[in-house]
Amino acid sequence: MISREAVTMIRAGSTSTNRKVKEPAREINVCRETDVVVVGGGPAGVGAAIASARSGARTILVERYGHLGGMASGGLVILIPHLSDGTKERQIAGICQEIISRLDESGGALHPRYEDLGSSDPRLVKKWQDYLFFVMGGRLRLSVLVDPEILKCVLNNMMEEAGVTLFLHSWSTRALVERNRIRGVVFESKSGRQAILSKVVIDATGDGDIFASAGAPFDGKLDPNARISRLALVFQIANVQTQRFSKFMREEHQRYADLMYELERLGGFSLILRSQREDVVWVNNYFPKWVPNYMKSFVTETAGKGQKTASLSALSFEDLTWVEVNARKGMLITYNFLKKKVPGFDKSFIMNVAPQIGTRGSRRLLGEYIVTENDLRSGTVHDDTIALCPPIDANVSQERPHMCIPYRSLLPRKVENLLVAGRSFSSDLVANDVLNIIPFCVAMGQAAGAAAAMAAKASINPGDIDIRTLQRNLIKQNVVLPPAIGAHAKTRK
């Protein structure tokens, strides 16, 4: 593999010049004017666009790829986890639950029956315990495995039904700002550089590309040991004889472990669930019935090699390139090793590699409120809560309470007519590492979309909307909020 030191040397050579070129000023065609424009079609952007359009706002969604869903589809992160808290109740509902229900109708989702949630029945626990995050604390929780290709179709249909205008294959490059008020965005496509004017903009890029270009303050520091600091590339190996492989793991555990260590030494990616490793995050070796036999796969998430991940950045095209190139080298090493030495892989083949690189964290907004680790540990219920999230490591308890996301954490400082949804919401490192997963991002997006529609209709800044009205609207959209908030939302501020 290319060494990290070599990459550094290449960088030094490529950036040693201080020369600059001047881009000539030019007029940009305004291709559309709208009420709300959402930038980014991942989980947060999907929730935002649907909620905005359903709330009566003319809505455009700008997405750089040719599909929607982000990491949940193009990134092959096929797990939507942590939707319930170990009781019979679900905390993440709304648009996220609607997506799952539509996947159910198409045979594109696998999860426990809703009536079984919270059960500690040994038979049910045994049935689901091999699925990641389906059983925690000895009780059944709602997590969902999804078919990424059916998910793309479901999301397209939901956008069409809601009346969202899609701009796919369009990469938004910057915000249009006048006197700290955002007026719209500029995007690039095969049709050239164009602009969209909008009353409200929602930054759902994940990396905060829009709020950064608009001048909103943010924090870009990451902890190299945190989940969100790791880049990943998912690949699938198909036609694996899963029963044979599982039997080998169970009955020859030491031999299996020795093989995996050998694979790591060769520069490959071992199929061992060890979250403390930086080059191996998780492997799921049980796939739902709707996956045809030839697609039964082992999905390995990788981030380069060990210590190198500490200096990789989701905002550096050089680092993204390094991961793409070297993860594929590691994939070939892994595949050839497994096929030759591990039972169950002798007739396997590489099926595909995710078209989107896995990015988890970069810029974090410094908004009107910064969600902190203490908020999560104490279970702080904010007056402006717009999403209620179950604990991600065990069932709800005094030590592990529900977690609340306040509306203020979606509001940037210094820039008006802008909302932020998704993993770049205003939060400290620990809170972001916990709360930036797929379902929580959908919930943030739904709140941002509903709020943006309210602001656009009233021609006011999103920070000036009535929070009780927003909360009532979210409850009507089947969003679950804390009981105290639900009671308060019934009366005006």
Side-chain angles (χ1 to χ4, degrees):
M1 293 187 180
I2 302 172
S3 71
R4 189 67 189 157
E5 293 73 20
V7 172
T8 302
M9 292 176 63
I10 293 171
R11 265 198 201 151
S14 64
T15 59
S16 59
T17 177
N18 291 320
R19 294 181 62 188
K20 297 181 180 179
V21 296
K22 185 175 292 186
E23 186 176 8
R26 58 171 170 165
E27 292 184 341
I28 300 174
N29 178 55
V30 175
C31 68
R32 199 70 61 90
E33 295 187 34
T34 191
D35 295 324
V36 176
V37 61
V38 180
V39 182
V46 162
I50 293 171
S52 172
R54 287 179 176 176
S55 298
R58 295 172 301 157
T59 305
I60 294 174
L61 174 59
V62 181
E63 165 56 39
R64 61 175 171 165
Y65 292 103
H67 60 264
L68 302 173
M71 289 297 103
S73 58
L76 293 181
V77 181
I78 62 171
L79 177 68
I80 301 179
H82 307 305
L83 302 171
S84 71
D85 62 5
T87 69
K88 289 187 175 295
E89 304 300 322
R90 284 170 270 170
Q91 285 68 54
I92 301 298
I95 288 173
C96 189
Q97 179 58 56
E98 184 180 342
I99 292 170
I100 294 166
S101 296
R102 292 194 178 212
L103 285 167
D104 283 334
E105 294 172 2
S106 302
L110 178 76
H111 56 81
R113 298 186 307 170
Y114 298 125
E115 55 265 36
D116 291 337
L117 295 180
S119 174
S120 58
D121 184 324
R123 292 171 300 173
L124 290 173
V125 169
K126 182 179 180 181
K127 175 182 178 180
W128 294 102
Q129 65 186 359
D130 289 326
Y131 294 88
L132 199 63
F133 303 129
F134 282 55
V135 176
M136 300 183 71
R139 293 183 178 276
L140 234 59
R141 293 178 59 168
L142 183 59
S143 292
V144 184
L145 283 168
V146 303
D147 183 323
E149 296 306 321
I150 295 181
L151 176 61
K152 294 174 187 176
C153 298
V154 164
L155 297 178
N156 283 347
N157 292 340
M158 293 177 71
M159 291 293 169
E160 188 174 19
E161 292 167 13
V164 177
T165 299
L166 291 180
F167 282 25
L168 301 180
H169 300 287
S170 302
W171 193 315
S172 185
T173 54
R174 67 181 178 91
L176 294 170
V177 182
E178 289 184 359
R179 290 190 287 275
N180 293 328
R181 296 176 66 87
I182 193 166
R183 295 182 56 235
V185 296
V186 173
F187 72 96
E188 298 273 2
S189 71
K190 288 291 186 179
S191 302
R193 184 183 298 185
Q194 300 181 79
I196 303 171
L197 299 183
S198 180
K199 295 178 181 178
V200 181
V201 174
I202 299 176
D203 184 342
T205 61
D207 291 317
D209 297 336
I210 300 305
F211 71 65
S213 73
F218 62 87
D219 183 358
K221 294 189 292 292
L222 289 175
D223 177 356
N225 295 315
R227 176 188 65 88
I228 58 173
S229 68
R230 300 169 186 152
L231 299 178
L233 191 67
V234 176
F235 61 89
Q236 293 182 313
I237 300 176
N239 203 35
V240 177
Q241 296 171 297
T242 54
Q243 291 184 344
R244 186 178 168 206
F245 173 60
S246 297
K247 181 180 179 182
F248 172 65
M249 284 195 296
R250 289 193 309 270
E251 298 180 358
E252 300 184 53
H253 181 75
Q254 187 56 52
R255 172 59 179 157
Y256 173 71
D258 291 342
L259 284 172
M260 292 303 101
Y261 284 120
E262 181 183 349
L263 175 56
E264 289 179 6
R265 288 193 296 270
L266 292 172
F269 307 115
S270 68
L271 306 182
I272 301 176
L273 177 61
R274 290 186 299 167
S275 60
Q276 70 269 26
R277 296 282 307 186
E278 291 187 349
D279 61 338
V280 179
V281 182
W282 65 273
V283 58
N284 179 17
N285 60 323
Y286 293 89
F287 272 68
K289 293 179 180 179
W290 43 257
V291 179
N293 288 334
Y294 72 91
M295 285 182 62
K296 283 188 176 178
S297 320
F298 289 85
V299 179
T300 304
E301 210 170 68
T302 106
K305 287 298 295 177
Q307 71 276 11
K308 295 182 177 64
T309 62
S311 58
L312 294 173
S313 170
L315 302 179
S316 165
F317 75 88
E318 291 166 308
D319 285 351
L320 296 173
T321 300
W322 186 88
V323 172
E324 291 275 7
V325 171
N326 285 277
R328 282 180 168 81
K329 290 183 178 180
M331 174 187 70
L332 286 177
I333 292 171
T334 302
Y335 168 66
N336 290 327
F337 182 92
L338 295 175
K339 189 176 180 68
K340 181 179 179 181
K341 296 191 174 186
V342 178
F345 283 84
D346 51 307
K347 296 181 180 180
S348 66
F349 58 90
I350 295 173
M351 184 173 72
N352 64 354
V353 180
Q356 289 183 234
I357 191 169
T359 54
R360 297 181 177 93
S362 54
R363 303 183 186 97
R364 298 184 309 282
L365 180 72
L366 293 175
E368 294 294 332
Y369 185 86
I370 300 173
V371 181
T372 67
E373 177 184 5
N374 184 63
D375 288 330
L376 306 191
R377 291 186 180 277
S378 63
T380 302
V381 179
H382 306 275
D383 286 342
D384 59 340
T385 293
I386 46 82
L388 179 66
C389 306
I392 67 170
D393 57 349
N395 299 325
V396 67
S397 66
Q398 187 174 357
E399 292 76 26
R400 294 178 174 86
H402 291 132
M403 303 173 290
C404 296
I405 300 176
Y407 178 62
R408 287 165 294 158
S409 67
L410 311 184
L411 292 171
R413 304 172 192 172
K414 299 183 179 180
V415 180
E416 296 186 350
N417 298 337
L418 177 63
L419 283 159
V420 177
R423 71 169 192 252
S424 58
F425 79 110
S426 181
S427 51
D428 69 14
L429 274 169
V430 174
N432 194 274
D433 197 59
V434 171
L435 292 173
N436 78 359
I437 62 175
I438 289 170
F440 302 168
C441 288
V442 176
M444 281 187 267
Q446 183 168 0
M454 289 173 58
K457 287 180 181 179
S459 297
I460 59 175
N461 182 48
D464 295 328
I465 66 169
D466 177 42
I467 188 63
R468 297 292 180 236
T469 301
L470 172 61
Q471 290 168 331
R472 282 198 302 275
N473 289 343
L474 291 174
I475 292 170
K476 290 177 182 177
Q477 296 172 25
N478 296 318
V479 171
V480 177
L481 296 179
I485 295 298
H488 286 314
K490 294 178 182 178
T491 60
R492 283 197 170 272
K493 181 171 62 174

